[in-house]
Amino acid sequence: DGGITQSPKYLFRKEGQNVTLSCEQNLNHDAMYWYRQDPGQGLRLIYYSQIVNDFQKGDIAEGYSVSREKKESFPLTVTSAQKNPTAFYLCASSGSGNTIYFGEGSWLTVV
Amino acid sequence: SQQGEEDPQALSIQEGENATMNCSYKTSINNLQWYRQNSGRGLVHLILIRSNEREKHSGRLRVTLDTSKKSSSLLITASRAADTASYFCATPTQGGSEKLVFGKGMKLTVNP
């Protein structure tokens, strides 16, 4: 089935640790996105990439890093510099139209 | 950089009733989209309406767009318990139609 796969679904991070969230898509989409969702806050854009080997910061990029070495993959690393990382993280992609397709999300909790 | 704002923030209705959600935005847009999110899941695209369209239908969904008032509404007719979810409007950011800005969402509860 075509779609966006995020893993893991649940992830726990210790203080001072970096963790990486995986996002893979087989929709042949050029653009990919990472959003963060906090309760009652809606979605906020962390990073986005419109083409392989290129990405731009979104509204809340501090404490996060990404890479786009392959068209299918857009992993997000939550670094120790992100002081409040507990949230629901959503990966998405889009093709030539304006519609964005989302993965099922990953829950990150600091322990 | 909040663009769309849904209203009301929460709505509780009985099965069979209609549900109307409103979205206001601040800047000129070329399209507006509505998404749905079940609890703890990803968002699913419902419908896109372009700036030159005033109304669009998809099954039990009806979306209107008033660019003069910078507002849109989503109407769900004959609601079902399975419609219980959060609904978001999304608009492109200025200078980049592929980047969407989402509102905070509206929680709809349909009671059986």
Side-chain angles (χ1 to χ4, degrees):
Chain A
D1 284 350
I4 301 172
T5 302
Q6 290 187 238
S7 63
K9 179 70 176 178
Y10 300 95
L11 186 61
F12 298 90
R13 192 194 92 168
K14 295 181 180 179
E15 295 282 349
Q17 247 185 2
N18 292 355
V19 292
T20 297
L21 306 179
S22 169
C23 179
E24 303 279 331
Q25 55 101 357
N26 60 6
L27 300 169
N28 199 34
H29 286 168
D30 286 318
M32 296 188 74
Y33 314 82
W34 274 105
Y35 287 90
R36 170 180 170 143
Q37 186 176 31
D38 295 280
Q41 295 296 315
L43 278 68
R44 291 183 289 171
L45 184 63
I46 305 172
Y47 267 99
Y48 66 103
S49 167
Q50 293 180 309
I51 199 167
V52 176
N53 291 322
D54 188 44
F55 50 83
Q56 286 80 41
K57 293 181 179 180
D59 300 318
I60 55 165
E62 185 175 351
Y64 300 97
S65 66
V66 294
S67 62
R68 188 83 187 280
E69 297 176 1
K70 298 187 300 181
K71 188 175 186 178
E72 304 80 21
S73 179
F74 192 41
L76 173 74
T77 296
V78 185
T79 75
S80 57
Q82 173 48 243
K83 298 306 178 188
N84 185 24
T86 296
F88 188 51
Y89 290 87
L90 286 158
C91 179
S93 70
S94 65
S96 55
N98 297 115
T99 300
I100 288 184
Y101 297 84
F102 284 84
E104 286 297 293
S106 293
W107 291 94
L108 174 62
T109 303
V110 174
V111 296
Chain B
S1 54
Q2 198 73 37
Q3 168 76 307
E5 287 285 343
E6 296 87 355
D7 171 62
Q9 292 189 340
L11 181 63
S12 181
I13 60 174
Q14 296 298 123
E15 242 182 349
E17 294 180 340
N18 295 343
T20 299
M21 290 156 265
N22 301 301
C23 171
S24 59
Y25 58 91
K26 298 174 184 174
T27 62
S28 296
I29 58 172
N30 55 18
N31 70 80
L32 183 144
Q33 303 181 45
W34 285 91
Y35 287 78
R36 165 198 168 120
Q37 183 183 35
N38 285 37
S39 182
R41 306 290 296 275
L43 278 71
V44 175
H45 179 258
L46 294 177
I47 197 165
L48 180 152
I49 186 165
R50 301 196 184 281
S51 58
N52 61 353
E53 298 175 307
R54 290 296 169 260
E55 188 171 311
K56 200 165 182 179
H57 296 255
S58 177
R60 293 183 296 111
L61 304 180
R62 172 178 168 252
V63 170
T64 63
L65 180 64
D66 187 335
T67 53
S68 66
K69 295 181 179 178
K70 291 188 171 56
S71 67
S72 173
S73 67
L74 170 67
L75 168 67
I76 303 175
T77 60
S79 64
R80 306 166 181 168
D83 293 328
T84 294
S86 292
Y87 293 82
F88 295 83
C89 65
T91 52
T93 58
Q94 284 182 305
S97 63
E98 288 189 343
K99 270 178 54 181
L100 291 183
V101 176
F102 290 81
K104 291 186 177 183
M106 193 218 76
K107 173 66 179 171
L108 174 66
T109 303
V110 182
N111 301 299

